[in-house]
Structure formats: C-alpha cells, structure tokens
Amino acid sequence: MSETPFFDVDSGRRVRLRRVRWTFVGAILALLLAIFVYWRLPDNRSYTLKFSAGSELGHRHDLAEALAKLASARRIMIEFVPTDGSLETLDLLASGELDLAFVQGGLPQRENVRQVAALAPEALHLLAKSGPPIVKLTDLKGKRVNLSTPGSGTRLLASKVLDFAGLMPGDYIDEQFSYSALQQLPSDELPDAVFVVSSLPSVMAQWLIDERDYRLVELPFGRAMAVRNLAIGDFEIPRFAYGVAPAHPSGDALTVATRLDVLVNAKVDDNVVKRVAEVLFSNNYAREANLPPLEVNAATSQLAYELHPGVVTFLRRDNPLITGELVEYLENARSFLVSAAVALFLLYRWYARRAATGFEKHIDRVTHVELEVLQSARSGRLTTEKLLDEEIRLSKLKAAALEQFASGKLKGDEHLSSFLTHVADVRRLLQGLAAQVEKKA
C-alpha cells in the first residue's frame, strides 16, 4: 500500500504567504502607531491659550505681546481676551474661561488658580495736574481723583493707599474713567489726579506727562503698608524716568508697588505651563520685553498662589541627573521588569503547553487507531477491509490536524513534526500488517 501525500506544497505555500502578509500588515500598523505616538507626544503638540493682559494702553500688554511672540516658537498660540479689570480676569481664570493672565498682585485670591511667576514690580503712579500744587495725598481733598474702573486692580490698590493715609471716599470726588476714556476727554475735563498701576515705563503715565502736563506725586508708604500686606512694597521711580529736560521726576520718587503675577488655570496641561515658564525665564524674553532677566528666586518667592506643577518641572531641569527619586524609580522599574519577565516566561510555558495539548488529542486518536489494529491482529480478526478502513481513518485524522494547523488553531512546528512522525509510523505498521494478511490469504 503506497504512502498517501499528507500535506501538499500549495497548502504550505499559502500558509507561509499568509504569515508573511500578516507580518507585513503588523509592521505597517506598528509604523503608523509609532508616527501617531510621536506626533501625540506633549513636546510635539500645539496649544492655544486664552490670555488676558489688561488694557491695550498699558505696559502689561506690551509684555504680553512679547510673550506671545516667543511662545509661538514653542507651538503655543496666544489668543488675547479683553476684560474689564483684574477682578474679572481672576474670575474668568478661576472658571477656566481664561487659561493664562497677567494680573496685578495683592488681589483677593481665587480657587483653581496657580502661579507661573512674579514677573516685575508694578508701581502705583499718582499723577496730578499742574496748577494748584498737589504734593501729598492730603492735597487731594475736594479734588476729582480718578481711581480707574470698578473691579480694576488699580482702583483696589489706590483705595488702600488713600485709606492708609486717612482719606475717605467722601473727602475726594471719585471718578472711574478707563485709560482709553481719559484719552478721549478734553484737557479741561480731565480729573485733577489720576492713579495708574504699571511696570516702568508706564505708557499711560508718559502720555499724561507729555500730552497733558501732569506731574508725579510721591507715595512714600510702601514699607509701612508692607507690614500689613506682604503683597505690597516700596518702589523707587528713578530720576529722569519720564523726562530729561526738564527732569521728571526731578529726583528719585518713592511710591507703592505690587508684583505683576503670571497666573494660570490649575487645569492647564503641565507641559504647556512648562513651555510658558521656559519663555518667561529666558534671556530672549528679557530682551524682547525690555526687562531685567528673571531670577528664579525672586520670581518664585512670596507668591500669591501655589506654583503650577509645570513650573516645578521646569525649575527642576538643572537638578542632578541621578537623584534619590531616580534611584527609587529605577529600583521599582527593575522589580517591575523582573516580575514582567517571570510573567512572560510563565505565559510562554502555558502557551507552549496549550499548543502541545492541541496536538495531543490528535496524537491520541492516531494511537487509538494503532491499538485497535494491533488488538484485531492479536485476536485473528484482522482483514484487508479492516486495514483499509483504518488507513482511511488515519488519513482523515491527519487531514483534520493539518487543516487546523493551517488555519492557526494549532500552534507549534515541533508538535506538528511529532504528530506527522507518529502518523507515518502507524501507516508503516498498517502496511506491514496488510502484507502479512495478503500472504496468509
């Protein structure tokens, strides 16, 4: 009895082609996944931040424009949002309607707000019309005094200074013009005195001095007010800051100041805030904004709010590479990798046993054919027809196993080889027994 081919070449080629095709598809999918992950990495994503920096006529807006220009190189787009004052800005920041803001320091705190830095001192300028001299705060009694718009940081700080000096709202005529509204008024309708909060140089103060002949008035209360409010300090406006001929002020002028706070909504992505901090603390920003380079200690001390985690990450950029935290992390990673390796090994053993178990049932069926034939031969009941039936049965078992292997239901080339060897051995047994039966016949 001749050996029947049990595994045709075309079937094997189809299996190999199928495996190559799926390998190719897997490689393409892995490449696409790698590209997707690369572009989704935080450092490669672009963001748009809603940003408020107060009036466009203020120096604060110039600082914000410098930030926006440099931030764009780090894939952060700035969308400026106008507000009616620092209090409204804080409310919008806390609610998430704003992402980032330049806000005057010393204002009531809000929830869901974090700090990036304290940027620069913002001096309270008191500017008075020429005419009847206003050289001290008590000279403001009965005068028209512009404290800026309701809800503005300027109004809050000016009110604190006036209250500290003992001037109540009824002692002066309280006016509420915005910077732009002041510029629209005829000279004879302007207030007798105007409060302005700004880092130096103040655009509005310069305009009032140059165009409307106002003069700076000293406010030498900064150190005394700081005893009650750490957000307030003293500041010196240097001689010639707003004019050389004639000198204005004529000498260094003391005044009250707060810090310009850079605040962010607490939920803004850490990586975005880290990029903003990179801009603010860079020499490029100092040049672009015409500010002294931002010192880390000065910019992160006596803050109104907790630092945002993104800023903390930025500040740790120069920490030693190998730290206790890193060592602990690596130790945890090592333990994890060892555990993962053991788990993978056990998984592989389970998979190998499962693959072997899949072939075992087919090997058992072939063994059952062998035992039945041997028992029939021992009892003398073995016939040519019986052997032919067992040959057909053996071929069917072989075909079923090969079909399952080709479809992927059975795994393991070494198990397939053992199975086929067993089939070949049983087939040779059947052929030998068939020869003996024919000889006896």
Side-chain angles (χ1 to χ4, degrees):
M1 189 175 299
S2 61
E3 178 82 8
T4 303
F6 57 84
F7 190 57
D8 64 86
V9 175
D10 289 340
S11 176
R13 185 181 294 112
R14 285 195 298 272
V15 172
R16 289 193 296 273
L17 288 175
R18 187 181 298 114
R19 289 176 179 172
V20 170
R21 183 164 58 248
W22 280 112
T23 301
F24 178 75
V25 170
I28 293 297
L29 291 175
L31 178 62
L32 293 175
L33 178 61
I35 293 173
F36 173 78
V37 170
Y38 173 79
W39 285 109
R40 294 295 292 178
L41 285 174
D43 285 340
N44 294 304
R45 292 180 59 186
S46 296
Y47 298 87
T48 298
L49 296 182
K50 293 182 178 180
F51 184 23
S52 180
S55 170
E56 293 184 359
L57 299 175
H59 190 221
R60 207 178 287 168
H61 190 76
D62 296 334
L63 303 181
E65 290 281 5
L67 174 62
K69 178 180 177 180
L70 296 176
S72 63
R74 286 175 166 79
R75 295 189 178 93
I76 296 177
M77 304 299 113
I78 299 296
E79 178 185 328
F80 288 104
V81 177
T83 60
D84 292 331
S86 293
L87 291 179
E88 181 191 7
T89 299
L90 279 174
D91 290 336
L92 294 176
L93 196 62
S95 67
E97 295 179 59
L98 283 177
D99 301 306
L100 184 69
F102 283 171
V103 177
Q104 178 184 315
L107 302 182
Q109 291 196 348
R110 299 289 189 275
E111 297 291 332
N112 301 319
V113 175
R114 296 293 181 268
Q115 190 138 7
V116 180
L119 192 56
E122 287 197 316
L124 179 64
H125 297 66
L126 174 58
L127 300 120
K129 270 185 175 181
S130 58
I134 298 176
V135 295
K136 55 185 183 298
L137 280 181
T138 53
D139 293 335
L140 294 178
K141 287 185 177 181
K143 300 294 193 299
R144 295 170 57 216
V145 182
N146 190 72
L147 277 68
S148 190
T149 55
S152 67
T154 301
R155 169 169 285 273
L156 289 175
L157 182 57
S159 298
K160 288 179 182 179
V161 170
L162 290 169
D163 181 66
F164 183 80
L167 288 175
M168 299 295 105
D171 295 333
Y172 53 87
I173 302 170
D174 185 347
E175 301 203 342
Q176 305 176 0
F177 295 109
S178 65
Y179 292 164
S180 58
L182 285 172
Q183 291 188 334
Q184 302 301 318
L185 290 176
S187 296
D188 58 352
E189 295 182 16
L190 284 168
D192 298 304
V194 176
F195 281 104
V196 175
V197 171
S198 174
S199 54
L200 299 186
S202 166
V203 176
M204 190 61 195
Q206 191 74 67
W207 183 84
L208 288 168
I209 291 167
D210 292 344
E211 304 297 330
R212 295 296 184 263
D213 200 27
Y214 276 71
R215 291 293 177 263
L216 278 168
V217 178
E218 273 200 308
L219 300 170
F221 313 118
R223 291 181 63 187
M225 293 186 69
V227 174
R228 296 167 175 79
N229 188 339
L230 292 177
I232 297 174
D234 61 338
F235 187 80
E236 198 170 72
I237 301 176
R239 187 184 183 195
F240 304 120
Y242 292 104
V244 174
H248 199 81
S250 57
D252 295 341
L254 289 174
T255 188
V256 174
T258 60
R259 300 279 287 183
L260 174 59
D261 288 337
V262 186
L263 304 180
V264 65
N265 180 272
K267 295 182 180 179
V268 175
D269 186 89
D270 291 2
N271 184 64
V272 180
V273 179
K274 175 176 172 288
R275 292 190 221 174
V276 172
E278 288 171 351
V279 174
L280 289 172
F281 285 89
S282 69
N283 290 330
N284 286 341
Y285 180 70
R287 285 191 295 269
E288 192 72 31
N290 194 28
L291 290 172
L294 201 58
E295 296 291 338
V296 171
N297 290 338
T300 57
S301 61
Q302 295 185 349
L303 299 180
Y305 295 89
E306 179 184 347
L307 282 175
H308 191 283
V311 183
V312 176
T313 300
F314 166 75
L315 295 176
R316 289 177 176 172
R317 69 198 186 284
D318 294 329
N319 284 1
L321 181 61
I322 300 178
T323 62
E325 290 182 358
L326 178 60
V327 171
E328 182 180 358
Y329 171 79
L330 292 176
E331 179 61 26
N332 292 337
R334 184 190 66 81
S335 300
F336 169 77
L337 290 175
V338 170
S339 300
V342 171
L344 289 174
F345 175 74
L346 294 175
L347 181 63
Y348 168 76
R349 292 291 302 273
W350 171 83
Y351 179 80
R353 285 197 299 271
R354 183 172 178 269
T357 302
F359 272 106
E360 279 177 4
K361 63 180 181 181
H362 294 283
I363 292 174
D364 288 345
R365 290 169 182 168
V366 172
T367 301
H368 187 67
V369 170
E370 181 182 27
L371 292 175
E372 279 193 4
V373 170
L374 289 174
Q375 288 175 357
S376 296
R378 184 176 182 180
S379 63
R381 298 193 309 271
L382 190 62
T383 63
T384 302
E385 290 77 11
K386 172 67 174 176
L387 287 170
L388 182 59
D389 289 343
E390 296 301 330
E391 180 85 21
I392 294 172
R393 181 181 172 191
L394 186 64
S395 295
K396 288 181 178 180
L397 290 173
K398 176 181 173 182
L402 290 176
E403 182 180 354
Q404 291 185 24
F405 180 79
S407 65
K409 294 180 180 179
L410 292 176
K411 304 288 185 181
D413 291 344
E414 67 279 9
H415 302 306
L416 174 64
S417 177
S418 299
F419 170 74
L420 294 177
T421 299
H422 190 37
V423 170
D425 290 343
V426 174
R427 179 167 276 119
R428 282 194 293 271
L429 172 66
L430 294 179
Q431 291 172 351
L433 292 173
Q436 293 179 15
V437 170
E438 288 177 359
K439 185 182 293 186
K440 290 180 180 179

